[in-house]
Amino acid sequence: MEMEEVSSSSANAAEIPSVPVQRGRSKAMYQFTQQNLPACKPVLTPTWVVTICFAVGTIFIPIGLFSLQVSQSVLEIVDRYDVECVPLSFRSNKLEYIKDSSIPKNCSRYLQ
């Protein structure tokens, strides 16, 4: 396996060490393992961060306040099925009613 070294000439006395580049199939593997992929790298200055936070706040604070107001008017109905749907003979021992597979366990409730 041959390796080719790339060197850069500079006017300064200090030279930057070069990275060996491999040929053929192993070069592709080297590039894959190093993850030399293009990517978006935005520069986030404090001004941009504060502006984005205010923009998100002006969008989502009214939505949150509206959702809170609407959720205050929700009506919750609580209806216990273990009171009306269990036969009278099993109300003292509901576990026996659940375990007994010969009894149909259909229950219809109408809410008004």
Side-chain angles (χ1 to χ4, degrees), residues 86-98 100 103:
V86 177
L88 290 173
S89 59
F90 290 102
R91 286 201 182 162
S92 62
N93 191 359
K94 294 176 185 163
L95 184 62
E96 185 181 330
Y97 172 69
I98 294 170
D100 192 357
I103 302 171

Side-chain angles (χ1 to χ4, degrees), residues 13-72:
E15 288 198 20
I16 301 171
S18 61
V19 176
V21 179
Q22 300 175 354
R23 292 186 183 181
R25 197 167 203 189
S26 57
K27 179 181 177 183
M29 189 62 178
Y30 175 78
Q31 289 176 346
F32 177 72
T33 57
Q34 290 298 313
Q35 293 294 313
N36 295 328
L37 302 173
C40 177
K41 298 176 184 173
V43 178
L44 295 176
T45 61
T47 307
W48 275 105
V49 172
V50 170
T51 305
I52 291 170
C53 286
F54 277 123
V56 169
T58 54
I59 292 170
F60 287 110
I61 288 176
I63 293 172
L65 291 174
F66 175 74
S67 298
L68 185 63
Q69 180 184 4
V70 170
S71 69
Q72 295 297 323

